[in-house]
């Protein structure tokens, strides 16, 4: 099990912003070529938000829907061994547990949760209206 560790969640009012961080352990023992952010609201399935595959970023439709183009409210980025998710103009429907994950992908399943093998424990984001 790869100990990915998320942080940065919390409670915020609608319209506010949060930046989530995910520490990615370095070293041998596992391989990955894709890093992603996912979320799961109570009673709903886990869904992909954004992913970085190599140097290319991908966003789900609700998060902008264009690769390498964070035109939505979410922006994924990576610096050394930390993965970030910048979230702006948060809405009540963004309330969920947010997870970072890593995978060694062989196809374009960048935003498919079931293709990711390594997960963090999650960080809760609560948006009040």
């Amino acid at each position: 099990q790869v100990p990915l560790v998320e942080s940065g969640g919390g409670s915020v009012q609608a319209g506010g912003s949060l930046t989530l961080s995910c520490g990615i352990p370095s070293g041998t023992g596992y391989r990955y070529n894709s890093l992603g952010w996912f979320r799961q609201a109570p009673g709903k399935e886990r869904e992909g938000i954004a992913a970085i595959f190599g140097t290319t970023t991908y966003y789900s439709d609700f998060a902008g829907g264009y690769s390498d183009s964070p035109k939505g409210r979410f922006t994924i980025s990576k610096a050394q061994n930390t993965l970030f998710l910048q979230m702006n103009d948060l809405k009540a429907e963004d309330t969920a547990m947010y997870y970072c994950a890593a995978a060694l992908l062989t196809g374009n399943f960048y935003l498919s949760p079931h293709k990711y093998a390594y997960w963090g424990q999650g960080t809760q984001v609560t948006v009040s209206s």
Side-chain angles (χ1 to χ4, degrees):
Q1 188 72 21
V2 175
L4 301 173
V5 181
E6 303 96 337
S7 62
S11 297
V12 64
Q13 290 189 333
S17 299
L18 282 174
T19 298
L20 306 183
S21 301
C22 174
I24 306 163
S26 59
T28 59
Y30 71 100
R31 297 169 58 205
Y32 64 88
N33 56 12
S34 186
L35 295 166
W37 283 101
F38 300 82
R39 69 184 185 182
Q40 187 167 18
K44 295 187 177 181
E45 294 186 353
R46 192 168 297 188
E47 61 180 352
I49 304 170
I52 293 179
F53 181 82
T55 59
T56 303
T57 57
Y58 297 88
Y59 293 86
S60 61
D61 288 343
F62 75 84
Y66 297 95
S67 64
D68 282 337
S69 179
K71 295 183 179 180
R73 301 182 291 115
F74 299 86
T75 303
I76 190 172
S77 61
K78 182 177 179 290
Q80 295 185 330
N81 292 327
T82 303
L83 185 69
F84 299 97
L85 182 69
Q86 172 69 39
M87 306 186 294
N88 298 319
D89 189 25
L90 284 163
K91 305 177 186 302
E93 53 263 39
D94 295 320
T95 295
M97 186 70 79
Y98 284 69
Y99 301 88
C100 65
L104 184 63
L105 299 179
T106 56
N108 58 345
F109 303 107
Y110 316 114
L111 298 172
S112 300
H114 62 284
K115 293 293 186 180
Y116 282 71
Y118 310 112
W119 292 85
Q121 81 290 347
T123 185
Q124 178 68 37
V125 172
T126 302
V127 184
S128 57
S129 57

